[in-house]
Amino acid sequence: MAAAFNLINEFLDALNSKKIVGGIFCDLRKAFDSVDHDILLSKLEFYGVRGKFYELIKSYLTNRYQSVSITSKKSSHSSFSRWRKVRCGVPQGSILGPLLFLLYINDLSTLFKNNQTPVLFAGDTSLIITHSNQANFSRDFASAFSKLNNWFAANLLSLNLNKTQYVQFITKKHSYKKYIY
């Protein structure tokens, strides 16, 4: 709920200030499944997580195995895959999963300027860009999108471009030229 409030607040503040405002709404491919354990653990150390708590998180992530079971409804026959070691990802459906993912992407917010505001909520990552000038807005948008893509690649996350959306917000009183990015 706080992330939605932050998004709406950013949009309204920009529109009330007669600024150009747009949002990039990111869809990451298998976000929770793609978290690299080594990168996550190094980020936890950087944030000061050490000692027994670090070892607890490390044991939570490492030496996990999974198998897939398929049961036919018609014949009650079951098939099982071989057990495989889980090399990346945080467990979904757990309380720690979203928290660990947020810690994984927490440093994303350090990349952007004052008029570029990331809003992070578990697997949903959004970026709000505002400016009073259309040319500077377009330049800042391109720069922010490039930084976003580079950060995702460096952290072994993949942006699903078919589901990622860009929306420019305008009021009825102030329409801006439509630009395609």
Side-chain angles (χ1 to χ4, degrees):
M1 196 61 142
F5 175 80
N6 288 344
L7 278 172
I8 292 168
N9 195 44
E10 287 290 329
F11 294 135
L12 292 177
D13 282 350
L15 291 172
N16 288 334
S17 300
K18 297 182 174 36
K19 291 184 179 178
I20 302 163
V21 60
I24 303 171
F25 302 92
C26 301
D27 183 82
L28 296 171
R29 283 193 179 98
K30 301 186 180 221
F32 281 59
D33 294 335
S34 300
V35 171
D36 182 89
H37 294 163
D38 292 333
I39 293 173
L40 175 58
L41 290 170
S42 70
K43 288 182 182 201
L44 290 175
E45 279 186 300
F46 177 79
Y47 297 140
V49 176
R50 292 186 177 79
K52 291 185 184 215
F53 186 65
Y54 176 85
E55 292 302 322
L56 178 67
I57 297 297
K58 184 176 179 179
S59 72
Y60 180 71
L61 295 172
T62 56
N63 294 319
R64 296 175 73 99
Y65 289 82
Q66 69 183 16
S67 174
V68 176
S69 169
I70 301 173
T71 304
S72 169
K73 289 182 180 181
K74 292 180 181 177
S75 67
S76 301
H77 180 265
S78 295
S79 298
F80 299 92
S81 69
R82 290 185 293 175
W83 286 95
R84 303 263 180 175
K85 191 171 189 174
V86 177
R87 302 205 182 278
C88 61
V90 292
Q92 294 184 41
S94 67
I95 292 177
L96 273 181
L99 176 62
L100 292 173
F101 186 80
L102 279 173
L103 289 168
Y104 191 76
I105 65 170
N106 186 56
D107 60 320
L108 176 63
S109 60
T110 63
L111 298 177
F112 302 105
K113 297 189 258 182
N114 293 340
N115 64 329
Q116 303 166 342
T117 307
V119 179
L120 311 175
F121 180 73
D124 297 320
T125 302
S126 303
L127 181 63
I128 311 310
I129 299 135
T130 62
H131 214 289
S132 55
N133 172 292
Q134 182 67 49
N136 290 340
F137 175 83
S138 298
R139 183 197 66 228
D140 285 353
F141 170 82
S143 169
F145 192 66
S146 177
K147 287 178 188 178
L148 197 61
N149 275 316
N150 291 338
W151 187 93
F152 285 143
N155 286 275
L156 306 178
L157 296 172
S158 177
L159 195 58
N160 183 347
L161 293 175
N162 291 329
K163 292 184 178 180
T164 295
Q165 299 291 319
Y166 167 75
V167 178
Q168 187 169 348
F169 296 88
I170 59 172
T171 63
K172 287 183 181 180
K173 289 183 181 180
H174 302 93
S175 60
Y176 302 100
K177 292 181 183 177
K178 185 176 181 180
Y179 287 85
I180 299 175
Y181 299 99

